[in-house]
Amino acid sequence: MKRVLAGLLSSVMIMSLLAGCGGSAPQEPAKQEPAKQEAAKEPAKEPAKTTDGAKKKYAFIFKNAGNPYGEKQMEGFKTAIEELGGEAILKAPDQPTAEAQIQMIEELIAQKVAAIAITGNDPDALQPALKKAMDAGIKVLSADSAVNAQSRMVHVNQADPERIGRVEVQAAAEMIGGKGEIAVLSATSQATNQNTWIEWMKKELEDPKYKDVKLVKVAYGDDLRDKSVSETEALLKSFPNLKAIIAPTTVGIAAAGKVITDKNLKGKVMVTGLGLPSEMAEYIESGVCPWMYLWNPIDVGYLTGYAADALVKGTISGKVGDKFKAGRLGDKEVVKDGDGTQIMLGDPFKFDAKNIGEWKKVY
Ligand code: RAM
């Protein structure tokens, strides 16, 4: 069942997203690269072994420990690496800082891993450490939250950031009847993924149809549960007329859901954003969060594992047009991303009272 649902995700998500948004469907379908003639390359047959016969090591560093979303991503990465015959090393610092990640990168360089995949806590601060890793022959890629183009060979992106940002504003505006104060509860102030989505939220808000919607604050809960709770409480205190909170982080949205529930503010302050179905089901079922979005974090990790292996085996180098087979996710292609390159997983998927019962069992 789990696998069937996970597999169904990519095929049903565009339909559901478009069908489920009522009058406020996302602006544009994601731009698909046209199909190319050349077929994707099969991963090399030989298992991921070093010359002395030991399994090659593939590392994944998440933002910080204790985040169930990060655990799902790392679970997908591990599955992929084990399917490929390698050894997965999963790491996450206690605090979501670049400094803590730099220390881990240094350790992994000393361990002579074959690849480092990282969900970056800062777009630029990791550059010296990641360049050092690449100079040592380690294949480096980012996933979920990008590092700058000079610090990586390719980025694994969950979905189009423009769609992610715009759809969250559309949801909040619809929930509050197009009028009132809204706030964003984000992760850390340096997180590349959240900051990019927030930029797109602000662009969406420039549309005159949102003239009565006012973004009063962007708060940062740092993807820490307690801080996200206290930041939600502070928002409610500072903005007594607040009508909605958009949390583009699974930790933030779950904290906001809890605070709004505990304070009996259901229906008065709406919660939406990006949430993990298993953590948000109770708030979606109760109506505190009428609907929210996400992608499959297990698949983000799984795709990252296959991309890391394709870099290690030389099937891809991270340049536009490179193709590879990503296990059960099928053929994937490297596309442009600003001055760097990326591999796209899919589209954001809408979770609401109708489908949350199924999805909460999956991730
Ligand atoms: C949190 C993390 C992660 C982000 C999700 C939506 O778990 O910040 O990076 O992708 O939320």
Side-chain angles (χ1 to χ4, degrees):
M1 187 60 171
K2 185 170 165 176
R3 195 168 295 160
V4 173
L5 273 171
L8 271 175
L9 175 63
S10 53
S11 49
V12 297
M13 61 193 165
I14 299 174
M15 296 296 290
S16 300
L17 181 69
L18 293 173
C21 285
S24 54
Q27 301 287 298
E28 280 191 352
K31 295 196 178 43
Q32 299 285 344
E33 282 284 301
K36 301 257 167 44
Q37 297 306 318
E38 199 190 323
K41 290 182 194 151
E42 292 276 2
K45 288 281 177 283
E46 81 275 13
K49 297 259 172 64
T50 58
T51 41
D52 61 6
K55 283 181 179 175
K56 281 189 188 158
K57 295 183 171 70
Y58 296 76
F60 194 114
I61 307 176
F62 190 65
K63 286 178 172 176
N64 61 312
N67 178 347
Y69 173 96
E71 282 156 18
K72 292 289 167 195
Q73 217 172 251
M74 291 195 281
E75 176 191 317
F77 181 80
K78 187 164 186 268
T79 302
I81 296 304
E82 288 177 357
E83 275 176 17
L84 290 157
E87 180 188 334
I89 299 176
L90 309 175
K91 285 181 170 280
D94 289 339
Q95 296 297 315
T97 66
E99 292 69 37
Q101 289 188 319
I102 288 167
Q103 206 181 322
M104 289 181 165
I105 295 164
E106 294 288 348
E107 286 161 16
L108 292 167
I109 295 172
Q111 266 182 273
K112 297 192 171 25
V113 297
I116 298 175
I118 189 158
T119 294
N121 280 328
D122 190 289
D124 303 314
L126 301 162
Q127 188 171 328
L130 292 175
K131 280 203 88 143
K132 184 174 164 192
M134 287 190 279
D135 289 346
I138 297 171
K139 306 300 176 191
V140 171
L141 65 168
S142 53
D144 176 74
S145 182
V147 293
N148 69 29
Q150 294 73 46
S151 309
R152 67 180 207 231
M153 300 172 79
V154 72
H155 174 63
V156 175
N157 204 340
Q158 48 271 68
D160 180 0
E162 175 171 357
R163 294 191 60 165
I164 297 172
R166 289 191 187 274
V167 85
E168 290 175 77
V169 166
Q170 290 160 7
E174 191 178 329
M175 287 174 194
I176 64 171
K179 204 177 161 124
E181 294 179 356
I182 63 168
V184 170
L185 173 66
S186 191
T188 65
S189 61
Q190 295 304 311
T192 322
N193 52 346
Q194 272 88 14
N195 285 347
T196 311
W197 301 330
I198 293 168
E199 273 174 38
W200 283 112
M201 287 183 204
K202 290 182 177 163
K203 289 222 173 76
E204 176 71 10
L205 282 167
E206 284 168 12
D207 190 308
K209 72 181 175 202
Y210 301 112
K211 65 178 182 356
D212 296 326
V213 178
K214 190 171 174 223
L215 174 63
V216 291
K217 183 163 174 134
V218 178
Y220 299 96
D222 292 351
D223 272 350
L224 302 171
R225 178 79 175 179
D226 291 351
K227 181 152 191 242
S228 303
V229 165
S230 57
E231 287 294 324
T232 306
E233 289 167 348
L235 283 174
L236 297 172
K237 215 165 161 209
S238 311
F239 304 99
N241 295 320
L242 196 66
K243 292 283 179 296
I245 296 173
I246 300 177
T249 137
T250 58
V251 179
I253 195 173
K258 183 175 175 2
V259 173
I260 300 304
T261 303
D262 291 352
K263 291 192 180 297
N264 280 319
L265 289 171
K266 181 176 99 184
K268 295 201 177 71
V269 182
M270 314 303 280
V271 174
T272 192
L274 306 174
L276 203 57
S278 52
E279 293 188 294
M280 288 300 290
E282 63 177 296
Y283 308 124
I284 290 191
E285 280 155 6
S286 73
V288 161
C289 170
W291 71 89
M292 61 169 198
Y293 299 87
L294 200 71
W295 42 87
N296 186 333
I298 304 168
D299 284 351
V300 177
Y302 183 87
L303 178 55
T304 306
Y306 270 84
D309 187 66
L311 286 169
V312 168
K313 291 192 176 130
T315 321
I316 65 170
S317 63
K319 67 174 191 324
V320 172
D322 279 357
K323 295 188 187 73
F324 65 106
K325 288 213 184 290
R328 61 172 155 75
L329 296 175
D331 294 348
K332 287 285 167 187
E333 182 172 350
V334 177
V335 297
K336 201 170 151 45
D337 169 40
D339 53 351
T341 63
Q342 63 181 347
I343 302 158
M344 273 284 179
L345 177 67
D347 278 291
F349 180 75
K350 181 180 178 180
F351 297 96
D352 60 15
K354 289 194 284 300
N355 62 17
I356 196 71
E358 285 294 346
W359 286 103
K360 70 181 179 190
K361 298 175 219 147
V362 186
Y363 51 82

